[in-house]
């Protein structure tokens, strides 16, 4: 490795909630030698990229924000994309993160150097090295467009909801929306009044519940600003309600039958046509796919200029779209609301570990796996924020992110305790034991037993996305790093500190290091058992 490359203690990839949250926690822990690498020209992650009409969050505003950065000025109980993006920009300013952020720096290759015990990051902004890398690219960062035969022959405009073409005027156009997920049910009501004809291609109908959204009054905002404790209590109440719901999703899916009745009643209020109601009624247990929230989706589908095709898109012939049931529709524009690369994250193809293989290759057969959703065997000093099996079906991902940030800070603290050029590599048996435990718990959850095919499942039907427990439980299991689950790697020219200087849990590892480094036959990297 040439000496002229910039070296940092920590490199954070991505500037969404995960990346900015990591940056704040690093500074609060006294770590200032870090950079945040962002591939776009501004911060915000998925809340910058997703700017489609109607884009909003389906988690209450006061819960979808950092516990250390309450926002008393949320305008609605469920905030829209512009307000969430503005909140993230404010985080970058308030906590002094701008000097650490490198915009337009897309990481194209991330390689572990086993001799120097650091990562080499190459990208559009140059090359740098880092002792530790936190990958916060997130699961909703790379849009997924299905491989549809003939799509390249389409003569109109084609784009994904996460890459909205704001230069294209949909007014008076014949538009097809492909998919009926969280983004699509927001796009459809927003554009239906403007287009000439809107056709929704529905492969699987979603369960949709009412969205209890309202404007937050000026008095409420004033109170939360003047008495911050009231905002904290509001957040606590929202969190508690969702914690109490977890058992129905993870242990007692049959209890969700009442929720299905409420969702069906919600649909009947807007959809009077019996045939359309039949097409829109799911045949799987509610919660198996993410429960969607909307007061306007069903009324939009009932409009005269909106058609529902109860089948996926099979083929494109010029400007004619052919559904799986043979229905043909001629359109001027196609909007894909087909989700993201969640179980096959593209960043994994760019990360090459200690064995010379990529993370994607390591995950190819058994699916995504990570110890406590954070670290992977063979990829030392690398942590994923919102990693495998850290997703939620009913609460705020910010809670999971903050739990992982606790783990991140303790990881770095323990590296500092051992001192010298040191790295931690998750033991394969620890990763396997953790994931066997998670998958065993997953068997009885609604996500695995509900009878649906969701984006929570990978190509082999393995649920590598959702956490089968409460957020408080996840916070407990990620409170601190357990060195018994890791191998400690040292450069042989790095002296191990006295055993007493390390925590009791790492004493055996430190003693082994002292013995190993004394050997003249020691390899470049010493692995401590």
């Amino acid at each position: 490795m040439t000496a002229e490359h910039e070296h940092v203690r920590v490199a954070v990839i991505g500037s969404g909630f995960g990346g900015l949250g990591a940056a704040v926690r690093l500074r609060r822990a006294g770590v200032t030698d870090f950079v945040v690498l962002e591939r776009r020209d501004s911060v915000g992650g998925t809340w910058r990229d997703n700017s489609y009409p109607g884009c909003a969050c389906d988690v209450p505003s006061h819960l979808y924000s950092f516990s250390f950065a309450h926002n008393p000025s949320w305008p609605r109980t469920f905030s829209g994309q512009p307000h969430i993006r503005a909140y993230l920009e404010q985080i970058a300013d308030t906590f002094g993160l701008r000097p650490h952020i490198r915009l337009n720096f897309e990481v194209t290759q991330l390689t572990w150097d086993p001799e120097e015990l650091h990562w080499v990051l190459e990208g559009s902004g140059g090359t740098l090295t880092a002792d530790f890398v936190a990958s916060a690219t997130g699961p909703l960062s790379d849009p997924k467009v299905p491989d549809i035969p003939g799509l390249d022959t389409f003569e109109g405009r084609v784009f994904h909801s996460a890459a909205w073409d704001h230069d294209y005027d949909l007014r008076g156009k014949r538009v097809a929306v492909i998919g009926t997920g969280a983004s699509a049910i927001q796009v459809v009501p927003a554009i239906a009044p403007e287009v000439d004809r809107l056709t929704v291609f529905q492969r699987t109908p979603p369960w949709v519940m009412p969205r209890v959204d309202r404007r937050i009054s000026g008095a409420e905002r004033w109170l939360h600003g003047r008495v911050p404790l009231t905002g904290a209590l509001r957040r606590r109440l929202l969190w508690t309600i969702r914690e109490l719901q977890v058992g129905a999703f993870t242990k007692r899916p049959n209890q969700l039958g009442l929720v299905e009745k409420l969702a069906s009643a919600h649909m009947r209020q807007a959809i009077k046509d019996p045939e359309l109601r039949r097409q829109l009624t799911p045949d799987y247990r509610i919660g198996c796919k993410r429960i969607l929230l909307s007061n306007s989706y069903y009324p939009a589908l009932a409009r005269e200029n909106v058609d529902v095709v109860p089948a996926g898109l099979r083929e494109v012939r010029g400007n004619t779209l052919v559904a799986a049931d043979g229905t043909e529709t001629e359109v001027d524009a196609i909007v894909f609301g087909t989700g993201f690369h969640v179980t096959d994250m593209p960043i994994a193809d760019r990360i090459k570990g200690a064995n010379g293989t990529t993370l994607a290759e390591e995950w190819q057969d058994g699916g995504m796996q990570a110890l406590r959703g954070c670290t992977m065997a063979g990829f030392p000093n690398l942590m994923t924020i919102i990693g495998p099996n850290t997703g939620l079906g009913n609460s705020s991902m910010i809670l999971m992110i903050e739990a992982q940030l606790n783990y991140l800070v303790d990881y770095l603290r323990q590296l500092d305790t051992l001192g010298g050029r040191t790295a931690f590599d998750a033991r394969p048996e620890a990763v396997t034991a953790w994931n066997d435990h998670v998958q065993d718990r997953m068997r009885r959850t609604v996500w695995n037993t509900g009878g649906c095919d969701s984006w929570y499942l990978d190509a082999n039907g393995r649920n590598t996305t959702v956490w089968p427990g409460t957020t408080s439980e996840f916070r407990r299991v990620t409170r601190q790093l357990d060195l018994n689950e890791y191998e400690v790697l040292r450069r042989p020219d790095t002296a191990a500190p006295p055993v007493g200087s390390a925590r009791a849990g790492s004493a055996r590892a430190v003693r082994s290091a002292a013995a190993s480094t004394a050997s003249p036959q020691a390899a470049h990297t010493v692995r401590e058992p």
Side-chain angles (χ1 to χ4, degrees):
M1 179 55 53
T2 57
E4 64 269 16
H5 292 317
E6 177 187 7
H7 181 81
V8 294
R9 173 67 167 149
V10 181
V12 180
I13 306 175
S15 70
F17 269 100
L20 295 182
V24 172
R25 288 299 302 275
L26 287 171
R27 290 204 55 166
R28 296 178 74 177
V31 179
T32 57
D33 183 18
F34 70 89
V35 294
V36 178
L37 307 177
E38 170 53 53
R39 63 180 175 178
R40 308 295 189 202
D41 59 2
S42 61
V43 303
T46 192
W47 292 107
R48 173 205 55 233
D49 297 341
N50 286 266
S51 59
Y52 57 81
C55 183
C57 189
D58 59 2
V59 175
S61 304
H62 289 86
L63 192 58
Y64 199 77
S65 50
F66 290 118
S67 63
F68 54 77
H70 291 293
N71 178 17
S73 302
W74 289 118
R76 303 194 65 83
T77 52
F78 290 87
S79 290
Q81 177 265 344
H83 297 105
I84 299 174
R85 182 180 180 184
Y87 172 77
L88 290 170
E89 293 280 1
Q90 184 181 5
I91 292 293
D93 292 330
T94 301
F95 291 93
L97 305 182
R98 298 289 182 185
H100 299 275
I101 299 173
R102 309 279 178 86
L103 299 175
N104 298 308
F105 193 125
E106 181 172 10
V107 176
T108 56
Q109 189 71 43
L110 182 61
T111 307
W112 175 250
D113 187 329
E115 294 188 0
E116 297 297 328
L117 294 186
H118 65 207
W119 287 96
V120 181
L121 298 95
E122 302 171 77
S124 56
T127 301
L128 58 87
T129 58
D131 294 331
F132 183 92
V133 174
S135 177
T137 57
L140 306 182
S141 58
D142 293 280
K144 186 174 186 177
V145 177
D147 185 14
I148 305 296
L151 183 59
D152 57 346
T153 69
F154 185 68
E155 299 174 358
R157 196 68 64 98
V158 179
F159 50 91
H160 193 280
S161 59
W164 195 268
D165 188 346
H166 291 280
D167 294 328
Y168 184 69
D169 190 356
L170 292 176
R171 287 179 297 182
K173 302 294 196 306
R174 298 166 300 176
V175 180
V177 172
I178 313 301
T180 52
S183 298
I185 73 156
Q186 294 179 344
V187 168
V188 168
I191 68 174
E194 300 180 355
V195 302
D196 175 60
R197 197 87 202 162
L198 178 60
T199 304
V200 179
F201 284 74
Q202 172 193 269
R203 186 175 60 180
T204 307
W207 283 105
V208 182
M209 291 288 289
R211 182 185 182 90
V212 188
D213 186 26
R214 64 172 178 83
R215 185 182 70 84
I216 298 177
S217 68
E220 291 174 276
R221 295 197 296 272
W222 178 89
L223 182 62
H224 294 331
R226 292 298 182 90
V227 188
L229 179 61
T230 61
L233 290 174
R234 185 173 188 162
R235 175 188 174 90
R236 183 79 176 185
L237 176 61
L238 292 167
W239 169 77
T240 301
I241 292 172
R242 280 153 182 78
E243 290 289 275
L244 294 174
Q245 296 171 348
V246 171
F249 288 86
T250 61
K251 300 175 182 179
R252 300 176 293 276
N254 288 336
Q255 291 184 352
L256 294 167
L258 175 61
V259 185
E260 289 182 2
K261 293 180 180 179
L262 295 174
S264 297
H266 176 55
M267 178 174 60
R268 286 196 301 271
Q269 288 181 345
I271 305 297
K272 306 305 180 184
D273 180 359
E275 176 58 21
L276 181 56
R277 278 205 306 269
R278 185 190 65 79
Q279 294 173 351
L280 298 177
T281 300
D283 61 357
Y284 54 88
R285 174 65 74 192
I286 193 169
C288 184
K289 289 175 174 284
R290 188 175 181 93
I291 300 174
L292 307 182
L293 305 179
S294 178
N295 298 328
S296 55
Y297 180 62
Y298 287 139
L301 297 185
R303 292 175 59 94
E304 291 187 359
N305 70 325
V306 176
D307 298 313
V308 175
V309 176
L313 179 60
R314 185 183 69 194
E315 180 185 359
V316 177
R317 301 173 187 163
N319 275 24
T320 300
L321 308 189
V322 183
D325 64 359
T327 302
E328 296 187 4
T329 307
E330 190 169 345
V331 299
D332 304 306
I334 303 174
V335 178
F336 282 100
T338 45
F340 300 84
H341 289 276
V342 176
T343 59
D344 57 342
M345 295 185 294
I347 188 68
D349 288 307
R350 306 180 183 187
I351 302 175
K352 186 174 293 187
N355 297 327
T357 55
T358 67
L359 186 55
E361 290 170 334
E362 292 291 327
W363 282 345
Q364 186 172 4
D365 295 329
M368 298 193 306
Q369 298 185 32
L371 176 60
R372 302 179 189 272
C374 296
T375 56
M376 292 69 62
F379 297 83
N381 284 12
L382 172 70
M383 177 174 165
T384 61
I385 298 175
I386 314 184
N389 290 114
T390 60
L392 297 175
N394 75 312
S395 192
S396 172
M397 282 305 302
I398 312 306
L399 302 169
M400 303 295 279
I401 290 172
E402 290 198 40
Q404 289 193 290
L405 297 183
N406 293 336
Y407 199 78
L408 165 64
V409 169
D410 193 62
Y411 193 121
L412 294 173
R413 185 187 64 79
Q414 295 209 45
L415 283 175
D416 289 340
T417 297
L418 293 183
R421 180 73 73 181
T422 309
F424 299 149
D425 190 4
R427 296 176 180 275
E429 60 270 25
V431 177
T432 299
W434 173 259
N435 282 278
D436 286 348
H437 170 66
V438 170
Q439 293 302 320
D440 182 63
R441 292 179 59 180
M442 197 72 70
R443 289 193 182 96
R444 57 179 175 175
T445 67
V446 69
W447 307 301
N448 280 36
T449 65
C452 73
D453 181 15
S454 74
W455 57 266
Y456 298 147
L457 309 179
D458 65 15
N460 297 316
R462 182 185 175 98
N463 193 325
T464 60
T465 306
V466 187
W467 167 244
T470 63
T471 61
S472 55
E473 180 188 1
F474 187 75
R475 186 168 63 244
R476 287 195 300 272
V477 300
T478 54
R479 192 179 304 279
Q480 61 185 30
L481 178 141
D482 179 1
L483 272 182
N484 291 316
E485 297 179 329
Y486 288 85
E487 292 183 86
V488 180
L489 312 182
R490 285 187 179 279
R491 280 180 50 175
D493 58 350
T494 301
V499 172
S501 68
R503 296 171 49 160
S506 61
R508 187 164 65 94
V510 175
R511 285 197 296 271
S512 297
S516 299
T517 53
S519 171
Q521 304 300 321
H524 287 293
T525 299
V526 177
R527 287 184 174 267
E528 303 174 6

